[in-house]
């Protein structure tokens, strides 16, 4: 991870690269979600190497270790506004067309959700805070354990995972008969909420919300938990592990992802003017000092 300046982290997030949605995207849809390999292209190679480290190192044991470390919630205490403002110091270098702090993306996504569903204030706040788990990057967590598409560990890796064919080579779970079968450690139709997910900002922020007894509805927490679980909600993998109730979660994740992935533009919202409204939502659903 490269430090740009004091308190600045240049964060590669391959999960926010090139995804198609004609209604929301400014670019031609054919330009999105391009994970082709080109070793002469610095951006593509950087993305590939991030996923290579993720897929090599994200094992059942690694995930359990990171959960033991982070889910003590003793890293830092701050308000939601303070955490959001910390994202001013985090720039996603994976986006070739937009070089803006994450807090701007947060407000862009929130305002899009607010425009489409003005009656669902919980969704506005969900969009605003969905990436807050990325603050792990400021506390020595490597990029490949913070960002990117997530996947279930403890069973055979989904076929639609990016770089699936070669990227997992050397991951010991692939040779472990307890983990390399279709079901692995899980029961049929156990539900996605019972899966042990690869470690990243989604799973961390979900647990932060639960630990701090948020008043956000469960569907909001699940949106945050699974918004990067692309092999499931976009790739069609893990259907054999779905429970009937997961259909509602998937529906809202797909709605939310329109705001998350396709709202980036050079039009910067007036954050100071918007703060009073969003602070009222913070006070309603996640007030006070939060333990991260």
């Amino acid at each position: 991870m490269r430090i740009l300046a004091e308190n600045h982290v240049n964060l590669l997030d391959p999960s926010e690269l090139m995804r198609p949605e004609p209604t929301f995207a400014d670019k031609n849809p054919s330009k999105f979600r391009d994970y082709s390999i080109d070793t002469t292209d610095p951006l593509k190679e950087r993305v590939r190497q991030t996923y290579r480290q993720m897929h090599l190192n994200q094992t059942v044991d690694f995930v359990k270790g990171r959960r033991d470390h982070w889910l003590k919630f003793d890293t830092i205490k701050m308000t939601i506004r303070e955490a959001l403002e910390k994202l001013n110091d985090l720039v996603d270098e994976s986006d070739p067309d937009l070089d803006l702090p994450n807090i701007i993306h947060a407000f862009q996504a929130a305002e899009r959700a607010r425009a489409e569903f003005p009656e669902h204030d919980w969704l506005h706040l969900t969009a605003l805070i969905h990436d807050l788990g990325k603050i792990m990057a400021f506390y020595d967590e490597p990029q490949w354990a913070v960002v990117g598409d997530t996947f279930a560990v403890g069973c055979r890796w989904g076929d639609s995972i990016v770089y699936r064919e070669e990227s997992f080579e050397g991951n010991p779970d692939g040779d472990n008969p307890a983990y390399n079968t279709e079901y692995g450690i899980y029961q049929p139709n156990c539900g996605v909420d019972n899966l042990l997910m690869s470690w990243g900002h989604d799973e961390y922020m979900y647990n932060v919300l639960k630990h701090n007894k948020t008043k956000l509805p469960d569907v909001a927490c699940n949106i945050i938990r699974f918004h990067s679980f692309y092999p499931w909600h976009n790739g069609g993998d893990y259907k054999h592990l779905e429970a009937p109730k997961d259909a509602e979660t998937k529906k809202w994740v797909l709605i939310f992802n329109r705001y998350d992935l396709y709202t980036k533009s050079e039009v910067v919202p007036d954050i100071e003017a918007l703060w009073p409204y969003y602070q009222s939502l913070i006070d309603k659903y996640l007030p006070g000092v939060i333990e991260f």
Side-chain angles (χ1 to χ4, degrees):
M1 185 174 298
R2 288 178 288 170
I3 305 298
L4 295 179
E6 185 178 3
N7 297 326
H8 280 68
V9 176
N10 206 26
L11 189 68
L12 168 66
D13 189 346
S15 71
E16 294 182 356
L17 274 177
M18 306 173 180
R19 301 184 187 280
E21 176 56 63
T23 304
F24 286 79
D26 294 331
K27 290 195 286 186
N28 186 315
S30 66
K31 303 291 186 182
F32 289 80
R33 190 68 175 168
D34 179 7
Y35 288 105
S36 59
I37 296 175
D38 181 354
T39 57
T40 66
D41 185 320
L43 176 58
K44 286 186 177 182
E45 187 63 8
R46 196 165 65 237
V47 170
R48 187 175 72 89
Q49 291 301 330
T50 298
Y51 273 111
R52 170 57 180 153
Q53 290 303 308
M54 179 196 300
H55 295 162
L56 174 65
N57 292 292
Q58 291 262 10
T59 64
V60 169
D61 287 345
F62 173 82
V63 170
K64 288 180 177 179
R66 300 328 286 155
R67 292 177 67 87
D68 287 344
H69 173 77
W70 285 102
L71 301 190
K72 292 182 175 70
F73 307 105
D74 59 359
T75 298
I76 192 170
K77 295 180 181 180
M78 65 178 84
T79 65
I80 291 297
R81 177 165 181 164
E82 288 169 340
L84 282 164
E85 289 176 341
K86 195 168 184 63
L87 294 186
N88 264 323
D89 297 323
L90 190 152
V91 178
D92 178 1
E93 71 173 9
S94 71
D95 194 324
D97 301 314
L98 193 63
D99 189 26
L100 295 173
N102 252 231
I103 191 172
I104 293 175
H105 164 57
F107 274 93
Q108 288 173 330
E111 283 295 282
R112 177 73 73 162
R114 185 181 178 186
E116 185 168 356
F117 289 99
E119 71 279 16
H120 291 327
D121 63 356
W122 61 266
L123 185 62
H124 314 163
L125 183 61
T126 300
L128 188 72
I129 67 172
H130 73 279
D131 275 343
L132 273 189
K134 291 181 181 179
I135 67 168
M136 290 190 294
F138 294 101
Y139 302 99
D140 300 321
E141 194 73 351
Q143 295 181 30
W144 52 263
V146 176
V147 302
D149 292 1
T150 59
F151 55 94
V153 299
C155 64
R156 189 173 68 83
W157 303 302
D159 291 334
S160 69
I161 297 174
V162 296
Y163 307 113
R164 167 69 171 85
E165 290 185 5
E166 73 283 343
S167 193
F168 284 95
E169 183 177 350
N171 184 311
D173 284 3
D175 296 320
N176 188 329
Y179 302 147
N180 64 8
T181 63
E182 183 180 18
Y183 289 96
I185 62 176
Y186 306 110
Q187 295 298 316
N189 308 116
C190 61
V192 295
D193 56 332
N194 288 309
L195 302 181
L196 184 63
M197 298 300 300
S198 57
W199 185 250
H201 71 282
D202 309 54
E203 188 70 14
Y204 177 53
M205 192 60 200
Y206 169 82
N207 281 280
V208 167
L209 292 173
K210 291 299 185 180
H211 171 74
N212 288 278
K213 295 179 170 47
T214 181
K215 295 178 183 176
L216 283 167
D218 285 342
V219 66
C221 298
N222 285 333
I223 286 171
I224 288 173
R225 188 180 192 185
F226 297 117
H227 74 271
S228 298
F229 192 14
Y230 269 81
W232 171 58
H233 62 70
N234 187 261
D237 294 332
Y238 306 103
K239 288 183 181 297
H240 57 295
L241 300 176
E242 287 181 355
K245 63 185 177 64
D246 294 335
E248 183 72 6
T249 297
K250 183 183 288 188
K251 180 190 80 172
W252 279 104
V253 168
L254 292 173
I255 289 171
F256 165 78
N257 272 10
R258 300 204 302 264
Y259 319 135
D260 181 20
L261 300 172
Y262 315 125
T263 58
K264 297 189 188 77
S265 73
E266 295 293 343
V267 179
V268 178
D270 186 345
I271 292 176
E272 284 306 312
L274 293 172
W275 263 124
Y277 173 69
Y278 286 99
Q279 186 61 55
S280 73
L281 300 188
I282 293 168
D283 293 341
K284 178 179 179 179
Y285 290 111
L286 204 58
V289 175
I290 303 302
E291 294 178 342
F292 285 89

